[in-house]
Amino acid sequence: MYDAHKVGESVGINPGLDVLVAADVGDSSRESRYLLVLTDNYNATLPILQQQLLAECNAVVIYGSSFPFDQEYTKVCRDINRIKRVMEAGQTVVLLNMENLYESLYDALNQYYVYLGGQRYVDLGLGTHRYKCRVDKKFSYCLLI
């Protein structure tokens, strides 16, 4: 987690979201918590994330809604599978309005990794089922809440 004042001192300003996101995605050599952006205004936040994450990190954006289709089990399975592929590929995934997935991603979001043979794995859940997924060292989340 970044201290906004320390990051701001290094660039000589009071840092905004763009500076903090750039600091987070710019250093993949260390382990840290995943980026969590709390906002009331998606219209102001999304362009900054697009500029920083999508352009520089080839991030994958997965978004949901409150429509009934987005709450169905098959849709949750597809989204979890998509996140699994991104984890294995070592990309960044941006989750927007995906509250229905957080329970399934509990271990991944809290970084409860199991290390085996030099690789790290995490449990993903679908209902009562759990299965292991390989997580590349370059993988990261950005949660937009």
Side-chain angles (χ1 to χ4, degrees):
M1 182 173 222
Y2 290 96
D3 183 351
H5 297 293
K6 288 182 183 176
V7 173
E9 288 171 7
S10 67
V11 294
I13 60 168
N14 184 8
L17 179 61
D18 55 342
V19 174
L20 295 174
V21 170
D24 186 69
V25 301
D27 186 8
S28 63
S29 64
R30 59 173 176 66
E31 275 195 36
S32 65
R33 300 297 288 177
Y34 295 125
L35 184 62
L36 173 64
V37 179
L38 301 173
T39 184
D40 290 327
N41 186 355
Y42 291 129
N43 293 331
T45 308
L46 283 176
I48 294 169
L49 289 175
Q50 286 176 331
Q51 177 185 2
Q52 295 293 331
L53 290 173
L54 300 180
E56 296 176 18
C57 297
N58 193 23
V60 175
V61 179
I62 301 175
Y63 54 91
S65 71
S66 59
F67 291 116
F69 174 74
D70 285 341
Q71 308 304 316
E72 291 180 3
Y73 183 73
T74 54
K75 174 75 164 109
V76 170
C77 290
R78 277 188 300 235
D79 289 336
I80 293 293
N81 190 43
R82 204 166 157 204
I83 292 168
K84 179 183 172 284
R85 289 191 315 254
V86 173
M87 284 179 165
E88 291 171 346
Q91 295 176 285
T92 297
V93 65
V94 179
L95 300 180
L96 173 64
N97 292 330
M98 297 303 288
E99 287 81 10
N100 58 335
L101 291 185
Y102 296 156
E103 185 177 346
S104 297
L105 299 172
Y106 181 84
D107 286 350
L109 294 172
N110 287 295
Q111 298 177 327
Y112 294 143
Y113 299 128
V114 174
Y115 293 88
L116 179 65
Q119 297 286 331
R120 63 183 186 176
Y121 296 85
V122 71
D123 281 335
L124 297 179
L126 287 170
T128 59
H129 304 287
R130 314 278 301 161
Y131 61 95
K132 296 269 188 251
C133 172
R134 189 178 65 79
V135 181
D136 190 273
K137 297 230 184 253
K138 295 178 185 175
F139 170 76
S140 67
Y141 277 109
C142 175
L143 301 176
L144 190 59
I145 299 175

